Amino acid sequence: MTYEIPLREIQFVLHELLQVPAMLEACGQPELDAETIDQVLAAAGQFASEVIAPLNAPGDEHGCSMPSAGVVQTPPGFKKAYDEFTKNGWPGLSCSPEFGGQGFPSVVANAVYEVFGGANMAWASYPGMSHATYVNVAANGSEDQKALYLPKIASGEWAGTMCLTEPNAGTDLGLMRTRAVAQADGSYSITGSKIFISGGEQDLTENIMHLVLARTPDAPPGVKGISLFIVPKFLPDASGAAGARNAVVCGSIEHKLGIHGNSTCTINFDGATGWLLGAPNKGLAGMFVQMNHMRVLVGTIAIGLMEAAYQKALAYAKERLQGRASGVRSSGDVADRIIGHADVRRMLLTQKANIEGARALALWTSQLSDVQRLHPDPATRNETAELLGLLTPLVKALSSDLAVECTLLAMQVFGGHGYIRENGVEQHLRDVRIIGLYEGTNGVQAMDLLGRKVLADQGRQMGVFLDMAGAFAETCGPREPMREFAQPLAKLVTDIRQLTGELVAASAQDPHAAGAAAAPYLRLVGHLALGWSWARMAEVALKHSGSTDPIYASKIATARFYFHACCPRRRRCAARSGPARPR
Amino acid sequence: MTYEIPLREIQFVLHELLQVPAMLEACGQPELDAETIDQVLAAAGQFASEVIAPLNAPGDEHGCSMPSAGVVQTPPGFKKAYDEFTKNGWPGLSCSPEFGGQGFPSVVANAVYEVFGGANMAWASYPGMSHATYVNVAANGSEDQKALYLPKIASGEWAGTMCLTEPNAGTDLGLMRTRAVAQADGSYSITGSKIFISGGEQDLTENIMHLVLARTPDAPPGVKGISLFIVPKFLPDASGAAGARNAVVCGSIEHKLGIHGNSTCTINFDGATGWLLGAPNKGLAGMFVQMNHMRVLVGTIAIGLMEAAYQKALAYAKERLQGRASGVRSSGDVADRIIGHADVRRMLLTQKANIEGARALALWTSQLSDVQRLHPDPATRNETAELLGLLTPLVKALSSDLAVECTLLAMQVFGGHGYIRENGVEQHLRDVRIIGLYEGTNGVQAMDLLGRKVLADQGRQMGVFLDMAGAFAETCGPREPMREFAQPLAKLVTDIRQLTGELVAASAQDPHAAGAAAAPYLRLVGHLALGWSWARMAEVALKHSGSTDPIYASKIATARFYFHACCPRRRRCAARSGPARPR
């Protein structure tokens, strides 16, 4: 079966939960309406189902190859799909019109990338990474650099990469050794080896703009001596077109668990010409604009893969006849459809509750990045930036952990057939597993959340977040139909508030306290964030209790399942089986 | 790095926790002492490290192939390793001396299979499955059948398979269509197709004894009309040697997520000659002797894979220099070893606590199968059989779920390097994932536990189990050093006792109640079983508090970590980081 965009689900989040047009209007951009967004979603869904989803399994099977030294071939069909992608203007979706883009907000672009990722993560990661370099150059580049590079990225003619990791420097970028020596003409000569470079070499674009972290000879040691450089594969000529080949060569590609269609390269810089991007020795902060963008993006793509696996599992459960499930007998058949079995429903509903909750959270976070960038009020921009900083590691780590758990469950619905390659669900597990490991491992995300975001200001910013969730629970709690969601939400807020205080105190005593608690703390905050998302979705749905659109009843039932069966408050097994049909 | 037998850990369980020689003496078999067991373990460890572990990654890379129709080639080296295996008598380890075996108890054989599985699951699954067919024929065969087949299996000359699944009949074996028609000579003509047959065809042995479920024409519908047949690939001649080729052909092999070196075959029976094994229409019960043996075996093998992944992660964490971990600085190095980071320790200790707890549980369960078979007192045999029935689905499902979780954590310790094939840890995840899906999915195990073992007798047998655990907690609780383990154990007993009562009541009202609760119920009982195992191990270790053997302090620290960080009672994040070095 092919992947299909969960159109109504995404519409529910964008239009009804987040009210994106109203947000844009508040940000002074009233021209984008729901209808236009729907057109984008429909086109994205069509491209996903018809063009890139059919390349997903063959791309996995074929993988990338190196037919000759330094040359990387993507799987058959990838280039043709990429050409169609650029022809239709997708690379510029959320780029500025100033540089040839269409100016859609990130919240729409990320919704689209969930869809592209769900259809074909290996393929979608090429343009996804390129757009992240656009974000980087747009934030850190000089006017000349922006004018030179951004139109090429926005058109999709050129791709981009982020070159951080070295064999001995992963999480600890302070250990990196790549050198950048200033040249008389203002450029730098870059020498060193980078590993794990996604899309570091490929046959999709005429040029690749590598964004490279390196040290100048006089730089201070550690992370305070890292600068950021633009190092194109082909040097732009006087007209800005790809000119002479630069001394940048792909040395090898990795053999990996998954995303076989996305090249993971060792890139060797051998006195390559590069230009400083942003201020010297401020490269890590500069790169973090891109990194934070990537963290939300890959967290969103993880949701796409969960969704893809869920679609397969749901279809299989509706079709596979096996055993007798009391109460839902399919008359005439030799057995009942396995979706009738309560344990299968439990597995499907767990996926559904996590997917939809994570989607609401990721798109809300994406929307915050728009508000933070666009809102006219500086105080709102600052507050939003703080909240975005808190949620970014959460979206990345929570979504990717849930995605592994949920693709495992999707496989489980298939039984032994889930282990067989041709059923496709095992590929989703292999592909999505990378998301917990790259762009900072999920342990790094957890330390970012607890160490840098929570403990660094003694829990103040986390307190703001908890106040927001607590206020929501308090406001809607007295209304009867919302009570069942507001009460456990309020309990989570209280628990996390107390725990946060304990951790602030403990970390003052024990240097290991934060590290030991970080991962379970992130997960607990994740439950709150999902619970809050579910309570908000239930509130929206309750306003439509008379509607014939089945999504509203589905939202309420799934919110109930989330609080009943997924939340850590549960101390008992679920003795209720949930609604008979997850969708 | 190569796999190494966790010798001291297994010795601790066999000799100190389970006191295997004393158990055997109580069963009238006093001749087996600890020294002999140690010799077996040492030889198994050597065979695992030197012979089959080196074949693990190449076997995964190469996989099985079909060079011509019906012919299956195992990966290079598999046959040579198998020949050495048989030459050294391993296939007969726990077979009866009457049939050429060495008569070791299952508890020792399963400990050995943990090691073989950890070194190379794909390879070890061939003899593992063969031995399960030995168990089947030994239980269900006529004297003639035993005399004909068992020496061939015990010597390893012949292999065996279990042929249950058909395309439309997996969990629901009542749907199977393979036919068996009685012939004038007392044999049966078997026609049908079986899928997912592990080792269904291979190039390791001169013959394969297929044990096949099929229906006779007059059989009642459903599971009450299934009979069990011996269908050899080559028909035994008058001397018992492999003679004429039978009409049994491998149609294809599956392409799978993992265990690439273990052939998973479609086997077509086209009027093949077979012989009834056991009583007509009692085939499912007959096959379940083998199935239950397999469930404990594969649960044990899952522990081997967790162990293998943990060994890799631990070695990497002791070697990889990255970041500064307060308090444990490696002086002189550019960074600290990542084992110094509390989050890495958390991941390693979680693996360690689950591996060692699951090992104690699986080997205890294996020991129960020996007691149930050998004990002179019929009442003891009966009680033990009931307990074994309760623990069998638990060992299978809990170990395999934990194995997926722990291999995921082992990958996480490696960061991005865990996603790269050459580091080997991703193979363990792919391989071990099958265990939750085959021999009855883990959902089937959960329904077996809750539906057939707990609810069927209104919780009586579960009550016996809870009484045992509760009595242990009560006995050792008053002693100060045991209190920290006895208290949470007693709490778990109380919680599960109450929950069991609730589920007995709920399932009388709601036909879905058992299905909806089964999987989380199994997990909760699993926590109790692991917690009990840890409390028992702590009790043993506390007797050696003055010892210089580091295992005793390790056991106490890990038991503490288990109850502190792994048990579901935890409502707070761990603000303590555990011991600095997991092993």
Side-chain angles (χ1 to χ4, degrees), chain A residues 40-338:
Chain A
V40 170
L41 293 176
Q46 193 178 0
F47 181 78
S49 294
E50 295 178 6
V51 181
I52 57 174
L55 301 174
N56 191 44
D60 176 64
E61 196 63 31
H62 194 281
C64 291
S65 57
M66 286 192 84
S68 58
V71 175
V72 171
Q73 261 177 8
T74 59
F78 271 39
K79 165 70 174 155
K80 186 160 174 286
Y82 186 77
D83 289 345
E84 186 171 340
F85 183 77
T86 54
K87 199 184 73 191
N88 293 330
W90 288 112
L93 182 65
S94 58
C95 298
S96 166
E98 183 186 352
F99 302 112
Q102 299 169 55
F104 279 86
S106 282
V107 64
V108 172
N110 280 358
V112 165
Y113 264 98
E114 181 205 311
V115 174
F116 293 159
N120 191 330
M121 177 178 167
W123 185 91
S125 297
Y126 292 109
M129 176 58 82
S130 290
H131 184 68
T133 64
Y134 176 97
V135 171
N136 190 338
V137 175
N140 298 305
S142 66
E143 291 310 309
D144 284 352
Q145 286 172 331
K146 289 195 268 188
L148 176 58
Y149 292 101
L150 294 186
K152 296 293 192 185
I153 303 290
S155 68
E157 291 165 274
W158 294 7
T161 73
M162 56 198 297
C163 298
L164 287 76
T165 304
E166 299 179 11
N168 294 308
T171 295
D172 188 353
L173 291 168
L175 301 178
M176 71 168 52
R177 294 173 191 162
T178 297
R179 315 297 291 179
V181 178
Q183 304 296 299
D185 65 355
S187 71
Y188 286 78
S189 171
I190 314 279
T191 301
S193 262
K194 296 287 182 177
I195 63 168
F196 296 170
I197 308 309
S198 296
E201 184 54 81
Q202 34 79 358
D203 54 4
L204 305 178
T205 59
E206 62 171 41
N207 200 4
I208 302 174
M209 175 186 72
H210 299 287
L211 300 185
V212 184
L213 293 183
R215 299 182 173 288
T216 53
D218 56 346
V223 294
K224 290 177 180 165
I226 296 175
S227 301
L228 175 56
F229 298 89
I230 301 181
V231 188
K233 176 178 165 186
F234 293 98
L235 298 167
D237 65 17
S239 74
R245 178 69 195 242
N246 202 355
V248 179
V249 177
C250 173
S252 61
I253 54 175
E254 304 287 350
H255 297 95
K256 314 181 297 281
L257 174 60
I259 52 167
H260 295 164
N262 193 262
S263 60
T264 303
C265 305
T266 298
I267 300 289
N268 299 317
F269 301 90
D270 187 15
T273 299
W275 291 273
L276 189 65
L277 177 59
N281 297 331
K282 302 291 182 197
L284 203 60
M287 188 59 104
F288 258 80
V289 174
Q290 176 169 357
M291 181 65 93
N292 283 325
H293 171 88
M294 283 301 289
R295 286 176 177 176
V296 177
L297 177 71
V298 298
T300 312
I301 287 177
I303 297 162
L305 275 90
M306 291 199 252
E307 169 72 30
Y310 173 66
Q311 288 183 9
K312 288 189 172 70
L314 183 64
Y316 186 78
K318 286 177 171 175
E319 179 187 290
R320 172 80 169 170
L321 298 168
Q322 205 78 176
R324 286 299 182 190
S326 14
V328 288
R329 187 150 306 188
S330 327
S331 62
D333 286 325
V334 292
D336 295 324
R337 289 164 196 355
I338 62 169

Side-chain angles (χ1 to χ4, degrees), chain A residues 442-460:
Chain A
N442 284 0
V444 169
Q445 307 302 317
M447 274 306 285
D448 180 48
L449 174 67
L450 181 56
R452 296 167 60 99
K453 308 284 166 67
V454 174
L455 298 180
D457 70 359
Q458 311 287 309
R460 184 194 55 78

Side-chain angles (χ1 to χ4, degrees), chain A residues 391-439:
Chain A
L391 293 182
T392 294
L394 195 63
V395 167
K396 193 274 187 183
L398 183 71
S399 290
S400 55
D401 279 348
L402 290 174
V404 168
E405 294 165 28
C406 287
T407 50
L408 285 166
L409 281 176
M411 285 180 75
Q412 198 69 28
V413 170
F414 274 83
H417 295 271
Y419 200 67
I420 306 299
R421 301 200 76 174
E422 67 179 326
N423 289 312
V425 69
E426 60 86 38
Q427 186 194 338
H428 298 314
L429 171 65
R430 288 187 292 104
D431 286 350
V432 85
R433 179 66 183 92
I434 188 59
I435 300 181
L437 298 167
Y438 70 10
E439 318 307 351

Side-chain angles (χ1 to χ4, degrees), chain A residues 521-538:
Chain A
Y521 182 81
L522 183 142
R523 187 60 180 243
L524 198 58
V525 176
H527 279 294
L528 168 64
L530 292 191
W532 187 10
S533 298
W534 271 115
R536 289 168 67 186
M537 290 195 281

Side-chain angles (χ1 to χ4, degrees), chain A residues 167-172 175 195-196 254-259 320-323 326 334-335 340 342-343 345-346 404 408 411-412 415-417 419-421 426 430-431 433-434 436-437 441-443 498-499 502-503 510-513 515-517 519-521 572-577, chain B residues 167-172 175 195-196 254-259 320-323 326 334-335 340 342-343 345-346 404 408 411-412 415-417 419-421 426 430-431 433-434 436-437 441-443 498-499 502-503 510-513 515-517 519-521 572-577:
Chain A
N168 294 308
T171 295
D172 188 353
L175 301 178
I195 63 168
F196 296 170
E254 304 287 350
H255 297 95
K256 314 181 297 281
L257 174 60
I259 52 167
R320 172 80 169 170
L321 298 168
Q322 205 78 176
S326 14
V334 292
D343 183 57
R345 289 210 296 281
R346 176 191 63 80
V404 168
L408 285 166
M411 285 180 75
Q412 198 69 28
H417 295 271
Y419 200 67
I420 306 299
R421 301 200 76 174
E426 60 86 38
R430 288 187 292 104
D431 286 350
R433 179 66 183 92
I434 188 59
L437 298 167
T441 66
N442 284 0
Q498 185 187 334
L499 174 62
E502 289 170 13
L503 289 173
D510 175 1
H512 289 300
Y521 182 81
R572 292 276 173 266
C573 298
R576 293 192 332 224
S577 47
Chain B
N168 295 306
T171 295
D172 189 354
L175 301 177
I195 63 168
F196 296 169
E254 303 288 351
H255 297 95
K256 314 182 296 280
L257 173 61
I259 52 167
R320 171 80 168 169
L321 297 169
Q322 205 78 179
S326 14
V334 293
D343 184 57
R345 288 211 296 280
R346 176 191 63 81
V404 168
L408 285 166
M411 286 179 74
Q412 198 68 30
H417 296 271
Y419 201 66
I420 306 299
R421 300 199 77 173
E426 60 88 36
R430 289 187 290 105
D431 286 351
R433 180 66 185 91
I434 188 58
L437 298 166
T441 66
N442 284 1
Q498 186 187 335
L499 173 63
E502 288 170 13
L503 289 172
D510 175 1
H512 290 300
Y521 182 81
R572 293 277 174 265
C573 300
R576 293 193 330 225
S577 49

